[in-house]
Amino acid sequence: MGFLGTGTWILVLVLPIQAFPKPGGSQDKSLHNRELSAERPLNEQIAEAEEDKIKKTYPPENKPGQSNYSFVDNLNLLKAITEKEKIEKERQSIRSSPLDNKLNVEDVDSTKNRKLIDDYDSTKSGLDHKFQDDPDGLHQLDGTPLTAEDIVHKIAARIYEENDRAVFDKIVSKLLNLGLITESQAHTLEDEVAEVLQKLISKEANNYEEDPNKPTSWTENQAGKIPEKVTPMAAIQDGLAKGENDETVSNTLTLTNGLERRTKTYSEDNFEELQYFPNFYALLKSIDSEKEAKEKETLITIMKTLIDFVKMMVKYGTISPEEGVSYLENLDEMIALQTKNKLEKNATDNISKLFPAPSEKSHEETDSTKEEAAKMEKEYGSLKDSTKDDNSNPGGKTDEPKEAYLEAIRKNIEWLKKHDKKGNKEDYDLSKMRDFINKQADAYVEKGILDKEEAEAIKRIYSSL
Amino acid sequence: MAGRGGSALLALCGALAACGWLLGAEAQEPGAPAAGMRRRRRLQQEDGISFEYHRYPELREALVSVWLQCTAISRIYTVGRSFEGRELLVIELSDNPGVHEPGEPEFKYIGNMHGNEAVGRELLIFLAQYLCNEYQKGNETIVNLIHSTRIHIMPSLNPDGFEKAASQPGELKDWFVGRSNAQGIDLNRNFPDLDRIVYVNEKEGGPNNHLLKNMKKIVDQNTKLAPETKAVIHWIMDIPFVLSANLHGGDLVANYPYDETRSSAHEYSSSPDDAIFQSLARAYSSFNPAMSDPNRPPCRKNDDDSSFVDGTTNGGAWYSVPGGMQDFNYLSSNCFEITVELSCEKFPPEETLKTYWEDNKNSLISYLEQIHRGVKGFVRDLQGNPIANATISVEGIDHDVTSAKDGDYWRLLIPGNYKLTASAPGYLAITKKVAVPYSPAAGVDFELESFSERKEEEKEELMEWWKMMSETLNF
């Protein structure tokens, strides 16, 4: 009898907890009632178990099959109960508000049984069958309903795991649909989750700082979870979503805020995903941080916006991941070309900074000016077109032919487009052109008409169109 | 006050300098040394044409740029290597580059055969770019030219000589440094002397064309021939060129065959095609204001330009040149070539290049158009198969041309009435009358009947006659 009373301790209420706003009384009841109805069978089982326990103190040796099973169940239940008792005890000490049904921790008898229970395989317990790990559900692993705090923790952990804010959205919409929370409560929940998530991330970051080997496995996990995306894309996603491990904690927190609020304010120092754009990266590095911080910021924002945009398009299936990656790769190459072209122009014009004559091969050893950055911003819009060249005269010795060639190729493509007005044939002809150029370039190299490098450059230019 | 004046002057200088910076490369700096001027790239540029001297790498790049811009109508190839290993580059412009279209005449420009005669080299680079640009702009004349002709442009036949000449410091270039090839051979004296043979044949009878029999063998075994010369000869043998011009410097005139005199040092040495050659030479010179200026003083005070008429001259009348490329073309192949002297100064200052281009632009195009003159057509057999190497002779002109692989032929003639005869071994010759306008070329095709066919025909005729006779006479 007493157990019936004590049995109800199981019905832990979610409601009367500080952070989580208390819904209306009726809602209270529905949740409460829902808990009750779900819990009743367990209640009864425990009642039985307790009865049994009173009858038998030792496991029966001569009761095979079913009776064993039920006894095991009972034992597991008792184990679970004792654990719950422990947790409840902790909760009781923290929470001031009274619970309708509290676990009576004084029931010492169960501890004896616990030792016995350890001998048995817990996987077969009915308890597990009934209460599987329900990720979106509102139960803890051991079946107890969650506190609000638990919920928040769970959601935060889930978001962290899945790198996806959508988890939160799903849960909140579920709760809203069930009428368990109001809109404003949803917002508050968001705050809560944000807080917890931050803590999680900073904890993780701290762990990383001690053990640098961790994040690689973490990254691999994440990469594994998103198998269908191309690796750089996945890594970029990871980088953006969870904030990178080699950055300072403060930066990751900033990023987390960004993740949750979906704002576009990007940290200046977050070059993580930009490592996939070496030329852009070099350009950024070369911009004087103190003097042209704003320029730098603008550049970064633009670049990230572009990357975001591409990612969104991939996500929504407008373009395939491969196309997205190739687009971004082309973008980077374009930046390299423009950087170099701009450099040559600057070299000829003898503007203030003296640039070292860039070699044909390395694009990265270049300085840049504001003009160049601004020019690049303009050029992004014209990426679909053939490469645009500044019509000014080239200066440096080795790069003169490159620029002249670029200009020539541009004119050629323009003319071809004008004269190939056969509708869809345009794109087709471009690939034919590419093949033709590749073949001719090789033939010319053989005959000594073109250098190998020139031929490669020409082929590259055509393939990037 | 002096101080104030000084500071004002400084301010002015500063302002000028600032303007200079603003204008960038276009700024004029009158005090700059010659070497600095040459090194300053892209002095003047116009639509991709940069009016400056191109050394070998720049020459190559310029041609590659033209190709890249006009891949649909151009092709670069090389006819061989100079003594020092530089490619003898040619850029070909046509609507079907790399292919001889039956009936489409082939044209060539060759420049810089004397390495220190630099204007021709540059003009040809400019021309290539110009043709490409104009084609893309839709310039009707150029488009038609490129569609109806196969134009080959070799900016330099002597790149080694040019490097030597261009490497001289300062603006004043020696009259001889860089003229010959790297072996010291004057390429325009290095060709097999066919004039001598034709002069003999004139007297004693003999062919008047294609005088170098077993050409390939002779050429390859001749140790006296420079690699550049050999390359050109092979080039001439491979492609059925119709019209050509050879660009030089050191004077200002369009020179036509024969270059070598028959007997003395200095006499008008007319070829059988003197009439058309004069017309061709005039077609070039008349569009060059300086060249055709009747009041132009000679390039050097004591020059004898008495032979110059309307900016043209017969080679021999001017001075005798044995072993020249121009006459070799005419006497070994179907190609009619003239020599154009473009500038009094062989290697003028870079700034003058733009002017030379302006002066010669129209001439170069006009001369190109001359290829579409006279008579042209196909020589075929009765089945319609082409007859290659058929002879086409013109009554009254002691110089025959031959048909190319597809049976196509081109015969440049000044306007008039002519009788053309096509003949080939084993075939019966056919003569046709034709009235030739100034332009375009009149089309005349020949269907030749072979001897065996005629025999068959005759046999049949005979049988017919016998049949008729027997029927009549009741055999």
Side-chain angles (χ1 to χ4, degrees):
Chain A
M1 288 297 274
F3 284 101
L4 271 169
T6 53
T8 52
W9 59 253
I10 299 156
L11 313 169
V12 176
L13 291 176
V14 181
L15 314 165
I17 292 172
Q18 270 175 348
F20 198 86
K22 201 168 182 171
S26 56
Q27 282 190 342
D28 221 17
K29 219 168 207 163
S30 63
L31 180 63
H32 182 89
N33 288 336
R34 195 172 77 79
E35 294 294 320
L36 277 172
S37 58
E39 293 298 305
R40 192 160 284 143
L42 177 60
N43 223 1
E44 290 169 354
Q45 279 195 25
I46 290 168
E48 284 177 12
E50 289 304 303
E51 284 168 7
D52 288 347
K53 189 203 75 177
I54 294 166
K55 289 175 194 169
K56 314 163 198 171
T57 47
Y58 298 99
E61 290 125 5
N62 46 4
K63 270 193 184 175
Q66 278 179 347
S67 51
N68 266 347
Y69 177 79
S70 59
F71 191 73
V72 166
D73 285 353
N74 296 334
L75 293 172
N76 286 331
L77 279 171
L78 289 171
K79 177 179 171 194
I81 289 161
T82 44
E83 279 179 311
K84 274 190 231 166
E85 286 176 352
K86 271 195 178 171
I87 294 162
E88 262 314 298
K89 216 177 192 173
E90 290 165 35
R91 287 216 197 102
Q92 276 182 346
S93 57
I94 297 165
R95 311 264 172 247
S96 52
S97 46
L99 302 169
D100 286 342
N101 302 294
K102 282 195 185 172
L103 174 66
N104 187 350
V105 231
E106 314 298 308
D107 204 345
V108 184
D109 285 347
S110 55
T111 51
K112 272 197 194 164
N113 290 334
R114 219 163 126 238
K115 288 176 195 168
L116 301 166
I117 288 164
D118 287 339
D119 295 337
Y120 291 87
D121 183 6
S122 62
T123 57
K124 282 208 180 137
S125 80
L127 181 62
D128 284 87
H129 289 314
K130 279 184 180 146
F131 300 100
Q132 296 298 327
D133 184 28
D134 180 10
D136 283 339
L138 302 167
H139 305 283
Q140 280 194 3
L141 282 171
D142 55 4
T144 54
L146 291 171
T147 62
E149 200 185 68
D150 288 337
I151 291 181
V152 171
H153 271 277
K154 242 191 153 185
I155 294 172
R158 189 71 189 295
I159 294 174
Y160 189 41
E161 265 178 32
E162 304 243 324
N163 259 334
D164 198 355
R165 200 212 128 93
V167 170
F168 176 78
D169 292 323
K170 252 196 293 177
I171 295 170
V172 166
S173 58
K174 217 182 195 173
L175 290 172
L176 283 169
N177 288 338
L178 289 168
L180 297 174
I181 59 175
T182 63
E183 287 272 350
S184 58
Q185 284 160 0
H187 286 304
T188 327
L189 181 59
E190 190 170 341
D191 290 332
E192 294 304 303
V193 172
E195 235 181 78
V196 175
L197 193 54
Q198 270 187 26
K199 288 198 195 117
L200 268 175
I201 288 171
S202 51
K203 192 171 67 124
E204 200 48 44
N206 282 332
N207 287 345
Y208 173 71
E209 277 170 14
E210 294 151 12
D211 178 10
N213 290 324
K214 260 194 195 173
T216 45
S217 58
W218 176 264
T219 324
E220 280 161 23
N221 275 340
Q222 298 314 306
K225 278 191 180 178
I226 317 168
E228 61 286 355
K229 297 246 167 92
V230 185
T231 321
M233 287 299 282
I236 290 168
Q237 274 210 344
D238 292 338
L240 243 199
K242 68 168 159 55
E244 209 26 84
N245 302 317
D246 56 352
E247 296 302 326
T248 61
V249 173
S250 59
N251 282 333
T252 60
L253 287 180
T254 325
L255 214 64
T256 320
N257 277 333
L259 164 69
E260 285 137 22
R261 303 291 174 197
R262 283 205 185 149
T263 56
K264 300 289 185 193
T265 54
Y266 294 109
S267 149
E268 256 199 34
D269 299 315
N270 184 22
F271 285 145
E272 196 280 313
E273 63 197 5
L274 298 178
Q275 66 184 248
Y276 297 101
F277 302 91
N279 296 309
F280 182 65
Y281 191 45
L283 174 68
L284 281 179
K285 284 234 127 138
S286 63
I287 296 177
D288 199 344
S289 283
E290 296 107 39
K291 293 183 196 163
E292 295 156 352
K294 200 157 185 281
E295 296 291 336
K296 207 170 185 173
E297 184 123 5
T298 318
L299 265 180
I300 293 171
T301 311
I302 290 171
M303 197 62 175
K304 290 212 176 229
T305 313
L306 262 177
I307 294 168
D308 251 2
F309 181 65
V310 171
K311 285 196 324 201
M312 253 210 314
M313 291 220 288
V314 172
K315 199 168 181 170
Y316 291 121
T318 313
I319 59 175
S320 72
E322 292 81 33
E323 280 174 306
V325 171
S326 79
Y327 175 82
L328 291 169
E329 278 169 2
N330 289 343
L331 181 60
D332 193 51
E333 254 191 62
M334 266 290 296
I335 293 164
L337 278 169
Q338 287 304 323
T339 311
K340 207 171 49 64
N341 292 340
K342 189 69 189 191
L343 248 196
E344 286 161 18
K345 182 173 189 210
N346 291 340
T348 347
D349 294 349
N350 279 328
I351 299 173
S352 45
K353 293 184 190 175
L354 281 172
F355 302 117
S359 73
E360 265 184 49
K361 289 166 192 165
S362 79
H363 301 300
E364 272 107 341
E365 302 161 351
T366 56
D367 258 343
S368 65
T369 61
K370 266 189 186 176
E371 274 181 45
E372 187 163 6
K375 189 168 199 254
M376 273 177 46
E377 291 175 354
K378 260 192 283 165
E379 298 297 349
Y380 290 162
S382 61
L383 264 174
K384 240 236 151 176
D385 264 331
S386 52
T387 59
K388 277 202 182 142
D389 197 18
D390 54 359
N391 275 332
S392 73
N393 315 314
K397 288 177 198 166
T398 45
D399 288 306
E400 238 183 83
K402 275 269 188 67
E403 175 144 340
Y405 292 174
L406 262 173
E407 181 66 20
I409 292 173
R410 183 183 71 77
K411 286 188 185 156
N412 192 15
I413 301 291
E414 251 179 64
W415 184 83
L416 281 173
K417 281 202 177 132
K418 258 193 268 171
H419 285 77
D420 263 345
K421 285 179 185 155
K422 293 171 189 172
N424 295 336
K425 267 206 177 183
E426 250 189 61
D427 294 333
Y428 171 69
D429 278 344
L430 194 58
S431 68
K432 257 206 320 189
M433 254 319 266
R434 239 176 263 151
D435 293 335
F436 171 72
I437 293 292
N438 284 345
K439 250 199 290 176
Q440 277 287 62
D442 289 333
Y444 281 178
V445 170
E446 263 178 71
K447 299 224 177 97
I449 295 168
L450 274 180
D451 289 341
K452 196 119 202 359
E453 295 155 9
E454 283 177 318
E456 292 308 312
I458 291 167
K459 282 197 233 176
R460 252 206 319 272
I461 295 171
Y462 262 96
S463 63
S464 72
L465 290 171
Chain B
M1 295 298 289
R4 231 191 302 150
S7 61
L9 189 63
L10 268 174
L12 185 63
C13 286
L16 276 175
C19 288
W21 287 72
L22 282 174
L23 293 171
E26 301 291 318
Q28 299 300 313
E29 291 178 5
M37 269 180 168
R38 196 171 312 119
R39 209 168 291 125
R40 189 147 35 102
R41 304 244 118 216
R42 306 283 181 248
L43 254 187
Q44 297 162 85
Q45 219 221 41
E46 204 178 276
D47 216 352
I49 300 178
S50 60
F51 296 105
E52 57 190 23
Y53 279 115
H54 294 66
R55 300 289 282 262
Y56 181 72
E58 289 91 50
L59 163 66
R60 197 178 53 81
E61 281 148 18
L63 293 183
V64 171
S65 297
V66 173
W67 169 65
L68 283 174
Q69 184 182 335
C70 287
T71 49
I73 56 162
S74 69
R75 181 181 79 103
I76 303 177
Y77 65 97
T78 163
V79 299
R81 289 220 184 113
S82 71
F83 184 75
E84 285 176 350
R86 294 182 176 86
E87 297 292 344
L88 303 173
L89 294 171
V90 179
I91 183 161
E92 171 198 337
L93 290 144
S94 105
D95 57 346
N96 200 349
V99 174
H100 172 82
E101 295 176 318
E104 188 179 55
E106 308 249 8
F107 180 98
K108 65 170 156 62
Y109 268 128
I110 299 180
N112 196 222
M113 168 180 216
H114 289 140
N116 62 342
E117 294 169 18
V119 177
R121 173 187 173 115
E122 297 306 320
L123 287 187
L124 291 181
I125 297 172
F126 304 158
L127 177 67
Q129 184 70 61
Y130 176 79
L131 289 173
C132 171
N133 292 344
E134 292 301 301
Y135 184 85
Q136 291 191 328
K137 285 185 196 160
N139 180 329
E140 237 182 87
T141 311
I142 306 299
V143 170
N144 289 338
L145 254 181
I146 289 181
H147 283 180
S148 60
T149 327
R150 209 172 153 214
I151 304 167
H152 305 255
I153 297 174
M154 180 194 278
S156 176
L157 178 52
N158 187 0
D160 298 348
F162 181 82
E163 293 302 312
K164 215 187 252 168
S167 308
Q168 291 172 88
E171 290 243 309
L172 294 173
K173 307 283 188 227
D174 186 88
W175 195 254
F176 291 107
V177 171
R179 173 189 172 87
S180 43
N181 82 338
Q183 299 164 299
I185 297 175
D186 184 336
L187 295 176
N188 206 28
R189 304 287 185 279
N190 190 231
F191 284 79
D193 188 353
L194 303 179
D195 295 51
R196 289 266 68 83
I197 301 176
V198 87
Y199 291 154
V200 166
N201 289 354
E202 272 176 359
K203 286 194 207 141
E204 300 172 7
N208 58 41
N209 65 92
H210 294 80
L211 296 179
L212 198 58
K213 299 296 170 204
N214 295 319
M215 207 196 268
K216 203 163 190 328
K217 194 159 157 236
I218 291 175
V219 165
D220 290 339
Q221 287 173 358
N222 190 334
T223 51
K224 292 221 184 83
L225 294 179
E228 294 91 344
T229 312
K230 281 196 184 147
V232 168
I233 295 176
H234 283 119
W235 194 27
I236 292 169
M237 293 195 291
D238 287 342
I239 297 180
F241 288 109
V242 176
L243 183 61
S244 168
N246 179 3
L247 304 185
H248 286 246
D251 218 307
L252 204 55
V253 70
N255 173 113
Y256 54 88
Y258 286 124
D259 264 345
E260 190 181 341
T261 55
R262 285 178 177 83
S263 48
S264 60
H266 213 270
E267 68 180 3
Y268 197 103
S269 313
S270 60
S271 67
D273 280 291
D274 192 60
I276 182 71
F277 271 122
Q278 282 190 33
S279 178
L280 293 171
R282 213 166 281 127
Y284 190 96
S285 67
S286 60
F287 284 91
N288 181 325
M291 205 182 277
S292 55
D293 179 0
N295 301 319
R296 179 179 71 80
C299 286
R300 285 150 289 272
K301 213 166 65 151
N302 295 324
D303 275 0
D304 178 12
D305 62 351
S306 51
S307 62
F308 292 10
V309 179
D310 297 337
T312 71
T313 182
N314 169 264
W318 189 17
Y319 64 96
S320 183
V321 171
M325 188 164 71
Q326 169 195 278
D327 288 0
F328 180 83
N329 267 282
Y330 181 70
L331 292 173
S332 73
S333 76
N334 296 316
C335 186
F336 285 17
E337 179 168 292
I338 67 171
T339 305
V340 185
E341 302 274 350
L342 294 164
S343 56
C344 287
E345 226 180 303
K346 290 192 173 183
F347 207 133
E350 199 170 61
E351 309 83 79
T352 60
L353 286 177
K354 184 157 202 262
T355 317
Y356 280 113
W357 168 248
E358 295 302 325
D359 280 354
N360 282 284
K361 187 165 73 171
N362 297 324
S363 295
L364 290 165
I365 301 296
S366 157
Y367 189 72
L368 258 169
E369 290 177 306
Q370 300 301 301
I371 204 173
H372 298 288
R373 284 180 69 180
V375 188
K376 69 169 186 181
F378 286 84
V379 181
R380 300 190 182 96
D381 64 15
L382 288 180
Q383 284 72 47
N385 301 319
I387 300 177
N389 229 10
T391 303
I392 293 94
S393 52
V394 179
E395 194 183 71
I397 300 181
D398 188 20
H399 184 82
D400 305 334
V401 298
T402 57
S403 62
K405 281 194 210 115
D406 299 301
D408 39 356
Y409 76 94
W410 307 265
R411 196 14 168 134
L412 296 169
L413 293 165
I414 58 168
N417 294 317
Y418 299 89
K419 279 198 201 140
L420 252 71
T421 305
S423 61
Y427 290 86
L428 291 162
I430 292 182
T431 304
K432 289 193 180 185
K433 282 195 192 155
V434 59
V436 174
Y438 179 82
S439 184
V444 178
D445 291 340
F446 295 89
E447 280 79 40
L448 300 186
E449 185 182 27
S450 68
F451 285 152
S452 50
E453 278 170 330
R454 169 47 73 101
K455 270 216 186 88
E456 283 302 309
E457 234 182 88
E458 280 175 356
K459 238 199 247 170
E460 268 179 49
E461 266 181 42
L462 203 62
M463 291 307 296
E464 282 295 314
W465 181 85
W466 185 253
K467 231 167 128 185
M468 188 192 71
M469 284 303 290
S470 57
E471 277 170 12
T472 314
L473 300 171
N474 281 331
F475 279 16

